Amino acid sequence: MEQLKSRPDGLHPTEAARRLREYGPNQLEAARRISPWSILLAQFKNVLVLILLVATVLSIFLGHGTEAIVILIIVGLAVSLGFLQEYRAERALEALRRMAAPMATVIRDGQEERIPAEQLVPGDIVVLHAGDRVPADLRLIEAINLQIDESVLTGESVPVEKQTEPIPNPQIPVGDRKNMAYAGTIVTYGRGKGLVVATGMRTEFGAIARMLQSIEQEKTPLQENLDRTGKMLARAALAVVALIVALGLLRGQPWLEMLIFGLALAVAVVPEALPAVVTISLAMGVQRMVRRNALVRRLAAVETLGSTNVICTDKTGTLTRNEMTVRQIFLCGQRWEVTGTGYEPVGEFRQDGQPATPSPDLQRLLRAAALASDARLLRQADGTWRAQGDPTEIALVVAAAKAGLRQEELEARYPRIHEIPFTSERKRMTTVHQGPEGVFAACKGAPEMVLECCSRQLTEDGDVPLTPTDRERILEQANEMAAQGLRVLAVADRMDSRIEDGEEDMTFLGLVGMIDPPRPEAKSAIQVCREAGIRVIMITGDHPATARAVAKELDLLRSGRVITGSQLDATSDEDFERQVQEIEVYARVSPIHKYRIVTALQKQGHIVAMTGDGINDAPALKKADIGVAMGITGTDVSKEAAAMILLDDNFASIVAAVEEGRTIFNNIKKYLSYLLSSNVGEILLLATASFIGLPPPLSAAQILYVNLATDGLPALALSADPPEPDLMRRPPRNPRIGIFTRPLVALMLAGGIWSAVVNLSLFAWALSSGRSLQESMTMAFVSLVLIQFFKAYNFRSDRHHVWQHPFANRWLNLAVLWELFMLSMIIYVPFLRNMFGVYSLPLIDWVIVLLASATISPVLELVKWLERRGWFGGMPA
């Protein structure tokens, strides 16, 4: 107050108005917005889009209006999708602003009044009540049973009990600053007052907003690869067209005929369907991912999952169920274990690893724990269970139900007649009940606070006096359970109680240890990640002991380290970047820590997926290569900052999304390699024929048809190919290597060269055998189309042989059948035959063409066999 020149009865309105002018309104500043027109124009800077527009002009010039319209539709689709994705990409800050408190209760000049939260200034005194959203960063000056839900900032699901006492060490994480209340958090219990110490962009919220504004969106590996491919194809198209046209002119062919031929070839070189195939591949992948509970907000980010080699995941609700569950009970010097997870009252009690019937003493403890709780466990119409209330109380009610003590029956048998509620000072709750045996009290709470009420303890010999030694032993046991990551509560009761002395001379019954248990499917998902070469890192706001216990149970923590946010603060960036490879669990972290962890991993060359649900996660979600928000518990801010949303908040769904990401990239790679291998074959065929003085083996119309047939349905069908069986047993793809690895280039070149050799040989042989030029050109044309169909099956995998589930892709089967029908129509329907200048082939010609075309398969399988033995620099990642 002295620093801010304030006082307990608040600022004078005149002084508040002056400060409002000085500090500005208490609201988040909007980032500089890019105009929609700028976003739209940026879509046309893509080289491939420009090539397609040139191809459209060429098609119109050649009189192929239908092809021009198709290309324009494809361009329009690609540009529209890109525009919509980028237009929505920067809405995270807007969602953050919507979360600001609209109104605040403030004391000014001794008067309490409600004002718009944006009018708050440093030095104001704010009054807080249960249900309020904290309007600014406050130093608390009054806290009466005050509890605040800070999960949007810290990720910790349990409300924080607040105090007003100074904290000796100011360099502690946000979650441990018990005398502060932060903007955007919610008061869940009690009341209090606070001095405004920061407003607007100077709050913790504001720091997150600044981080969001400063993060540049980088291109995904696929976008970079396609840009490179587009530039490469543009250069190749110009060079090849210029060469072939020049050769034709040198040989004395008519310049107009060669110009038209060259333009047709240029259109053939450009993969018109590439944007459509990429868009369709991503869209189909998105639909499959929705069925596996992952919703993708940005199509281009899907394939980034295929390159991901580190997943930074939150603990609560993602690796765990976010449902507290009793695991251990310490009773009469013995330890009981409780099985089952979540809120379903199914499980058994064990001693020494063997199932055991709950003893009368255990039932007494569970009865007292359930009666001293306000939680509700409800069975729904569909047979599932729904819980209401505090998570720890729900765990106690469920544990009692597992022992056959149903809550509704207990409450009917032992109605509550009085209670002493929980407070942050007492840290215990006591209820008084009327039972058949008389009035008795039940108590639960922190072990040290419950023991204060106890003079006796339950043993195998009944109730006996509680000695100082016994108290120390019980507290040691509680600390031992807490060290295992369990949240520990003590339970006590008093028989023959009275309302006025319900918390006196109680009997200590035992300790209950509970934890938010790991999801059963999370452990197997982590194992799949390990096999796929993906490292999983846990980042949580929880206590280190809890984080360590969950990580060990999931087999996530092996040789790595666990460090806290405080330890991270004490580590320089250089040291941290050296150590980041060894750390597997981060506990008690704040927003800047999460952002720093992702940044350090990216500097080490990792492709990082980051999960999160709170406002605190938004900068890291946006900074990560693929941000993954929680759909159930996630805030609007985290969802807007993320590229993908998990509909079930389940870690296993991330792994499913990674598989889809790998599948999508693999299929795009199949399409590209198949397409370019076909184009290499076409170009070599035409270029070589020109070099050796043969007439062109294909007409302009035939070139365009081959281009459409092989770029069309078969290529699109490859983009829908099912995943290869060993996909998740391969290491992540290195995005810096690009699509075209040496083994893949070898396969592409082999297919292209052999296609050119077969078609040129067949064309030359047909001419030399006395067949007409039209019949020879038709044989070359049909052979080229059939070779592409054989190739499509071979290119379903660049490593596995073609006979491994050869017809698994039903779309490819249908596409080839349709294209064969269309080819036969072109050959035998008179007006189509005249349009394409082809000859009606006799049966012998078909047999020759089919046998020649089929030779492509053994050649490609030989190349794959050589690849598997490392002849071309090892297998592609």
Side-chain angles (χ1 to χ4, degrees):
M1 282 193 177
E2 190 176 308
Q3 285 182 357
L4 292 168
K5 296 181 175 59
S6 185
R7 56 182 195 270
D9 61 353
L11 300 172
H12 190 276
T14 306
E15 174 61 14
R18 187 194 68 77
R19 294 189 184 194
L20 186 61
R21 291 192 297 272
E22 178 184 349
Y23 292 102
N26 176 36
Q27 62 185 24
L28 301 181
E29 298 169 3
R32 183 177 61 83
R33 300 288 301 196
I34 302 173
S35 73
W37 285 111
S38 300
I39 296 174
L40 182 62
L41 289 173
Q43 307 307 310
F44 291 95
K45 294 179 182 177
N46 184 294
V47 173
L48 206 54
V49 170
L50 293 175
I51 293 174
L52 291 175
L53 291 174
V54 172
T56 306
V57 175
L58 296 177
S59 299
I60 293 171
F61 182 80
L62 290 168
H64 295 275
T66 303
E67 186 184 46
I69 291 170
V70 170
I71 297 172
L72 275 178
I73 291 172
I74 291 169
V75 171
L77 181 64
V79 167
S80 299
L81 283 171
F83 170 77
L84 289 173
Q85 290 158 24
E86 291 190 27
Y87 185 69
R88 296 183 58 201
E90 301 306 317
R91 291 176 59 191
L93 184 58
E94 291 179 15
L96 200 60
R97 297 180 71 184
R98 287 196 299 270
M99 291 198 69
M103 299 294 290
T105 303
V106 65
I107 297 174
R108 284 186 177 168
D109 209 18
Q111 300 296 315
E112 190 172 303
E113 57 181 299
R114 294 279 287 174
I115 65 170
E118 64 183 28
Q119 294 180 14
L120 285 177
V121 295
D124 264 328
I125 305 296
V126 172
V127 180
L128 299 174
H129 297 284
D132 287 349
R133 191 183 292 276
V134 180
D137 285 3
L138 312 176
R139 169 61 164 89
L140 294 171
I141 58 176
E142 182 181 294
I144 301 168
N145 299 329
L146 184 63
Q147 295 183 24
I148 296 180
D149 178 0
E150 296 183 341
S151 59
V152 294
L153 271 178
T154 66
E156 191 167 358
S157 54
V158 180
V160 180
E161 296 172 18
K162 293 297 182 177
Q163 63 179 44
T164 59
E165 296 301 313
I167 295 173
N169 176 19
Q171 304 301 321
I172 58 175
V174 170
D176 292 328
R177 299 175 194 171
K178 301 296 178 73
N179 58 8
M180 293 289 295
Y182 290 101
T185 59
I186 298 173
V187 179
T188 59
Y189 193 81
R191 57 190 173 86
K193 291 180 184 176
L195 174 71
V196 176
V197 295
T199 60
M201 296 298 284
R202 290 173 289 277
T203 62
E204 290 291 324
F205 247 56
I208 294 170
R210 281 196 302 275
M211 291 166 69
L212 285 172
Q213 291 177 7
S214 65
I215 299 168
E216 293 292 332
Q217 283 290 328
E218 298 178 357
K219 287 187 175 181
T220 69
L222 178 62
Q223 288 170 323
E224 292 176 349
N225 273 311
L226 291 181
D227 283 350
R228 286 197 296 268
T229 303
K231 291 172 184 174
M232 178 191 74
L233 290 174
R235 289 192 291 266
L238 290 173
V240 169
V241 170
L243 177 65
I244 292 178
V245 169
L247 283 172
L249 292 174
L250 286 174
R251 290 174 55 229
Q253 291 183 294
W255 71 269
L256 184 59
E257 179 185 323
M258 287 312 302
L259 178 62
I260 293 174
F261 184 79
L263 292 174
L265 187 56
V267 173
V269 171
V270 177
E272 289 91 345
L274 179 57
V277 169
V278 172
T279 302
I280 290 168
S281 296
L282 294 175
M284 290 176 66
V286 165
Q287 290 177 351
R288 291 194 300 269
M289 289 167 80
V290 167
R291 291 195 290 270
R292 300 176 79 171
N293 294 309
L295 174 65
V296 174
R297 295 182 62 250
R298 297 175 195 145
L299 286 181
V302 174
E303 58 85 26
T304 309
L305 283 163
S307 305
T308 300
N309 56 15
V310 176
I311 299 176
C312 296
T313 175
D314 194 17
K315 176 185 73 68
T316 305
T318 309
L319 292 173
T320 65
R321 298 175 62 96
N322 198 18
E323 298 175 352
M324 293 295 285
T325 305
V326 172
R327 281 289 181 85
Q328 287 184 20
I329 298 175
F330 180 73
L331 172 76
C332 301
Q334 296 180 330
R335 181 173 299 176
W336 290 76
E337 295 176 0
V338 187
T339 66
T341 58
Y343 294 158
E344 188 175 2
V346 176
E348 59 184 20
F349 294 84
R350 300 184 172 210
Q351 279 191 305
D352 300 323
Q354 299 299 318
T357 303
S359 65
D361 290 339
L362 179 58
Q363 290 195 326
R364 178 180 169 185
L365 178 148
L366 291 171
R367 180 188 68 177
L371 287 172
S373 300
D374 290 326
R376 288 284 177 270
L377 184 64
L378 307 171
R379 190 181 186 95
Q380 302 187 109
D382 59 0
T384 60
W385 294 85
R386 181 170 60 88
Q388 296 175 340
D390 180 80
T392 57
E393 291 191 348
I394 295 170
L396 296 173
V397 171
V398 171
K402 290 176 182 177
L405 302 172
R406 301 291 179 183
Q407 186 182 27
E408 58 274 12
E409 295 173 5
L410 287 175
E411 291 178 347
R413 185 176 174 84
Y414 306 102
R416 185 183 298 185
I417 58 175
H418 184 65
E419 72 174 81
I420 307 172
F422 177 93
T423 67
S424 56
E425 291 80 21
R426 291 167 11 87
K427 294 185 179 178
R428 62 177 179 258
M429 175 182 178
T430 302
T431 56
V432 183
H433 303 265
Q434 177 67 58
E437 301 85 12
V439 177
F440 75 96
C443 177
K444 72 170 191 324
E448 65 276 11
M449 304 307 286
V450 171
L451 283 171
E452 284 183 2
C453 307
C454 298
S455 60
R456 303 175 67 77
Q457 65 172 323
L458 176 64
T459 68
E460 292 179 332
D461 300 323
D463 293 7
V464 300
L466 183 66
T467 67
T469 304
D470 292 331
R471 292 176 188 273
E472 290 180 12
R473 179 177 53 81
I474 290 167
L475 290 175
E476 285 177 8
Q477 180 64 37
N479 291 334
E480 182 183 320
M481 292 170 71
Q484 298 173 34
L486 298 173
R487 186 171 190 187
V488 184
L489 293 181
V491 183
D493 69 6
R494 176 180 173 175
M495 312 308 291
D496 301 320
S497 176
R498 294 180 302 173
I499 290 175
E500 58 270 20
D501 59 8
E503 287 191 337
E504 296 176 12
D505 295 325
M506 301 193 84
T507 299
F508 174 81
L509 301 180
L511 299 170
V512 179
M514 58 191 75
I515 197 170
D516 180 10
R519 290 178 178 267
E521 63 273 24
K523 186 172 183 178
S524 58
I526 289 171
Q527 180 58 35
V528 170
C529 286
R530 194 169 279 124
E531 291 176 359
I534 300 169
R535 184 173 160 220
V536 180
I537 296 172
M538 179 195 292
I539 305 179
T540 178
D542 269 348
H543 192 277
T546 305
R548 185 186 298 272
V550 171
K552 283 188 173 179
E553 190 165 344
L554 289 168
D555 197 27
L556 189 152
L557 186 63
R558 289 189 167 184
S559 57
R561 295 163 49 201
V562 179
I563 74 165
T564 64
S566 299
Q567 291 171 319
L568 191 54
D569 285 333
T571 307
S572 68
D573 286 342
E574 294 75 18
D575 287 342
F576 178 50
E577 285 171 24
R578 285 194 294 270
Q579 298 174 30
V580 73
Q581 304 282 18
E582 308 164 8
I583 303 167
E584 291 177 322
V585 176
Y586 297 84
R588 279 285 188 244
V589 292
S590 66
I592 195 66
H593 294 144
K594 295 188 176 188
Y595 182 86
R596 190 178 170 198
I597 292 163
V598 171
T599 302
L601 287 165
Q602 288 176 328
K603 284 185 177 179
Q604 294 295 315
H606 294 293
I607 304 298
V608 183
M610 166 73 188
T611 74
D613 56 4
I615 296 166
N616 60 321
D617 298 318
L621 288 174
K622 192 174 179 187
K623 173 65 176 172
D625 298 281
I626 181 83
V628 184
M630 302 296 109
I632 299 173
T633 60
T635 60
D636 286 347
V637 180
S638 63
K639 292 174 185 176
E640 289 291 345
M644 188 175 84
I645 300 170
L646 294 185
L647 302 179
D648 60 353
D649 290 12
N650 192 339
F651 180 80
S653 298
I654 305 173
V655 181
V658 169
E659 182 178 5
E660 288 295 345
R662 290 189 174 191
T663 300
I664 289 165
F665 185 86
N666 234 28
N667 288 351
I668 291 172
K669 184 175 71 171
K670 291 173 188 178
Y671 161 75
L672 266 180
S673 55
Y674 164 71
L675 166 76
L676 295 180
S677 178
S678 301
N679 285 358
V680 166
E682 294 171 37
I683 293 166
L684 284 178
L685 170 64
L686 296 165
T688 308
S690 294
F691 269 118
I692 62 177
L694 289 175
L698 301 171
S699 68
Q702 290 169 355
I703 291 172
L704 290 171
Y705 178 80
V706 170
N707 190 44
L708 286 173
T710 57
D711 281 10
L713 293 179
L716 289 174
L718 279 179
S719 70
D721 210 42
E724 295 180 41
D726 63 342
L727 192 64
M728 289 301 283
R729 293 193 294 275
R730 304 176 192 173
R733 179 181 59 84
N734 184 344
R736 282 173 292 280
I737 291 178
I739 295 177
F740 302 111
T741 57
R742 277 187 288 178
L744 191 63
V745 169
L747 192 67
M748 284 165 45
L749 291 177
I753 292 169
W754 188 255
S755 172
V757 167
V758 168
N759 289 311
L760 191 63
S761 301
L762 186 63
F763 179 64
W765 173 82
L767 285 174
S768 64
S769 68
R771 288 172 171 81
S772 67
L773 176 61
Q774 186 184 31
E775 185 176 354
S776 301
M777 289 177 68
T778 303
M779 291 181 74
F781 167 63
V782 173
S783 171
L784 181 59
V785 172
L786 293 180
I787 281 177
Q788 315 299 33
F789 295 160
F790 281 113
K791 257 194 212 176
Y793 286 96
N794 287 97
F795 273 85
R796 285 193 56 234
S797 175
D798 58 5
R799 59 179 67 197
H800 299 302
H801 57 73
V802 71
W803 299 115
Q804 185 169 335
H805 309 295
F807 304 113
N809 188 338
R810 62 191 179 97
W811 297 111
L812 180 59
N813 301 336
L814 291 172
V816 168
L817 286 173
W818 171 255
E819 292 295 346
L820 283 172
F821 169 73
M822 289 300 297
L823 181 64
S824 62
M825 294 285 284
I826 288 170
I827 299 297
Y828 294 113
V829 174
F831 83 92
L832 289 175
R833 190 166 62 234
N834 294 334
M835 183 186 300
F836 286 94
V838 294
Y839 181 83
S840 183
L841 293 179
L843 179 61
I844 184 63
D845 283 359
W846 275 105
V847 172
I848 293 169
V849 166
L850 186 61
L851 290 174
S853 304
T855 60
I856 190 71
S857 282
V859 170
L860 292 175
E861 290 308 308
L862 174 63
V863 174
K864 289 185 195 178
W865 183 82
L866 295 173
E867 285 177 14
R868 289 195 290 269
R869 278 146 186 79
W871 277 53
F872 306 107
M875 294 303 299

